[in-house]
Structure formats: C-alpha cells, structure tokens
Amino acid sequence: MQEAARKVRAEGRIAGLVPTMGAIHEGHLALVRRAQRDCSPVVVSVFVNPAQFGPKEDFTKYPRTLEADAEKLAAAGADILFTPEPADVYPAGFRTYVNVEGLSERLEGRSRPGHFRGVTTVVLKLLEIVQPHFAYFGRKDAQQARIVRQMTHDLNLDAGIVVCPIVREADGLARSARNGYLKPEERQAATVLYRALEAAREEIAAGTRDAIRLQAAMRRILDSEPLATTDYAEIADADTFEPVTRVSRACYALLAVFIGAARLLDNMLMEPASDASGEFRFDL
Ligand code: AMP
C-alpha cells in the first residue's frame, strides 16, 4: 500500500481515503461516492481495529464479510482496497499511541475508555500509509469526526477531513454494521433513536432552548421502548462536545442506546440560522 501510495503522489494524482471496519453498507458507499467526486484513486481500508474495542466489546463478533465488501466497493467505484491484518498494523513490539485529550474523554469516550485512542492511532497510521489528500468520515460518528479533525490540525497532517451526512434506512434508523445484530422485534424497536431525535427537533421548533428539557423529551421517547436501554442522551456543543445548558449555537443531540446485542449511536446537528431570525437548521 505504501508503494502504491508513493506512486500515486509521484504521478500528481489526488488520492482519497475512506477508512472502514467493513460489513460495507450504504453509509460507507456514500463516502466512496463522495470521495470519487474529488479523488482518483479512491482507497478504501477495511480493518476491524482491535485497539478501539474494549475487552468486553464485540471485536471477535464484529461482522467480517470481505468478499461481499470487495464486490460492493468495486461496484461503487473504489479503486484500491486496503485490508491489513492486525499483525501488520500492530506488529510485536508496537508501542506508540496518539490521543486527542479532552475531546476523547466525553460521551463515547466516557462509555468506552480507550476507544478514541484506538481510533486516532489507527487513523493516523492509515493516513501515514495511504498519504491521501482527503479522508472521508461519516457524521454518524460525529465525535469521532471531530476528534480526527483535531488530530490532523494538531499534528499538521496533510489530509483534508471531509465529513459526510448520515445515511438512514427508510424508517430513519441510521445504517450501521451493528444493525445486523438486531432480531426482527429489536429492529422495529431501534427506530426509537430517530424518533427521540425528532422529538428534540420538535421541541426546538416549538421554542425550547433549555438542554435539560430537550434531553427529557428524548428520554421520554427512549424510555417508552421496553427493548431499549439508554447509555446517554445528551446535548453537547458541536465544537467542544461539552454539555450545554442552552442551545444558542451549533449543538449536537447525541444518543447511545443498547438494544439486544447492539449498542447503537445516532445524532442530530442543530444550528441557529445565520440570519438571526431565531430559526434553526437541523441535520438528522
Ligand atoms: P465503520 O465501518 O462503522 O467504522 O464506519 C466507517 C466510516 O463510515 C465512518 O466514518 C463512519 O462514520 C461512516 N459511517 C458508518 N455508518 C454511516 C452512516 N449510516 N452514514 C454515514 N456515514 C456512516
């Protein structure tokens, strides 16, 4: 991969990287299509990164479907598939990790200690190996995208970070490899995340700005679903990911919810309109 990347750079081409853990779905393919607009070649990495899983998490159970993934990615126009093994990425004696302080400790970081350290370490390695001009991430993992952007800024990395919209099923459920863990009844229940975000949107549209009230509106919906157990349902500043008391600038509503064997994430971006009309823009 490093040799191919050097050749691409030498030829003056613009390389794009889409890092994934495989089990490719429409969310990933949207990133590939977006990358194709700016880049050739588009490199997709498929690597289930052990460093970002906790000891009791689903690393061994995480779906590995490389053959089907390769077909979908090729059909979507990916040019290079990079599929290293854990022993390639973390050979014996590996000792160097990178951590974005503060941002990595909240929300997902609080629930999954060490998770973002694993993410930033592997993303830094992928950026070093592939040397892309642009790397593409989904807003589905909003905190991750924010942390990766901070890392590229802090470490003067060359790659532009492009964050793409959330791709959803028809009923609102955000696409995720982990949706595959859901039994039919749980799959029905999983729409509760989207419905909770919609409830927050309606509250804002009705004039509520108080974060506690917005969280309560989301909790009401989440608590009404017996198959769902909420890990967190919070309103956070879109830049710092710190909790806010009032929504007066760009904020995220962020959810992490257990349903059956899956822990599902979703979020909504809320931004005051730039024209001081008091209106809000929502990105679900
Ligand atoms: P993963 O394979 O889950 O690590 O995801 C790889 C990349 O795809 C990450 O940047 C994710 O944020 C992004 N992604 C995953 N699911 C979606 C989705 N439903 N919509 C948009 N991006 C997504």
Side-chain angles (χ1 to χ4, degrees):
M1 184 65 243
Q2 264 173 322
E3 250 167 59
R6 265 187 225 118
K7 191 157 165 275
V8 166
R9 280 256 169 181
E11 289 166 354
R13 297 165 71 195
I14 305 291
L17 171 65
V18 179
T20 81
M21 298 205 300
I24 296 300
H25 52 68
E26 272 303 314
H28 301 120
L29 298 178
L31 299 181
V32 172
R33 293 188 196 105
R34 176 66 181 77
Q36 276 183 305
R37 278 169 35 194
D38 322 311
C39 304
S40 171
V42 173
V43 180
V44 180
S45 60
V46 170
F47 178 59
V48 185
N49 174 30
Q52 72 187 68
F53 287 79
K56 290 186 187 134
E57 293 181 358
D58 56 345
F59 174 69
T60 52
K61 291 200 203 91
Y62 199 85
R64 287 160 173 87
T65 56
L66 192 53
E67 246 176 72
D69 290 354
E71 266 173 41
K72 288 180 198 167
L73 291 167
D79 301 293
I80 300 177
L81 183 54
F82 178 43
T83 61
E85 292 296 324
D88 301 323
V89 178
Y90 304 109
F94 183 88
R95 288 179 168 282
T96 308
Y97 292 84
V98 58
N99 189 49
V100 174
E101 295 182 5
L103 279 174
S104 296
E105 282 131 42
R106 300 190 254 286
L107 296 155
E108 275 303 276
R110 193 180 50 210
S111 294
R112 305 181 68 188
H115 169 66
F116 284 126
R117 174 181 182 260
V119 170
T120 40
T121 299
V122 81
V123 170
L124 178 57
K125 290 199 61 152
L126 291 169
L127 293 174
E128 287 298 315
I129 294 165
V130 176
Q131 294 287 315
H133 293 75
F134 296 98
Y136 297 82
F137 293 84
R139 212 201 70 226
K140 158 97 183 339
D141 301 282
Q143 192 180 3
Q144 166 177 286
R146 175 69 188 83
I147 287 170
V148 167
R149 196 190 283 287
Q150 187 70 40
M151 174 179 74
T152 61
H153 180 260
D154 289 349
L155 298 183
N156 307 89
L157 304 183
D158 217 12
I161 302 302
V162 183
V163 182
C164 303
I166 301 179
V167 177
R168 299 179 178 283
E169 304 278 359
D171 61 5
L173 178 65
R175 302 267 179 156
S176 164
R178 291 186 169 102
N179 294 349
Y181 298 158
L182 300 170
K183 297 182 183 132
E185 198 192 352
E186 294 164 348
R187 170 62 188 81
Q188 282 298 120
T191 60
V192 75
L193 283 87
Y194 185 70
R195 289 186 279 119
L197 293 174
E198 281 188 316
R201 178 174 63 183
E202 279 161 27
E203 279 284 327
I204 293 249
T208 304
R209 298 290 178 269
D210 181 67
I212 304 274
R213 285 186 57 185
L214 293 169
Q215 281 167 23
M218 295 196 291
R219 283 273 178 178
R220 261 198 304 281
I221 304 293
L222 294 168
D223 291 349
S224 72
E225 175 47 68
L227 296 179
T229 306
T230 304
D231 181 352
Y232 59 78
E234 291 189 25
I235 311 290
D237 183 277
D239 186 47
T240 63
F241 279 78
E242 277 173 16
V244 296
T245 51
R246 276 184 72 74
V247 178
S248 53
R249 52 189 187 277
C251 286
Y252 283 108
L254 296 145
L255 305 180
V257 177
F258 294 98
I259 299 184
R263 182 172 174 281
L264 303 177
L265 298 189
D266 205 341
N267 69 78
M268 170 175 72
L269 179 63
M270 321 175 260
E271 274 181 304
S274 47
D275 57 8
S277 60
E279 303 269 300
F280 263 75
R281 247 195 87 240
F282 301 98
D283 241 333
L284 264 119

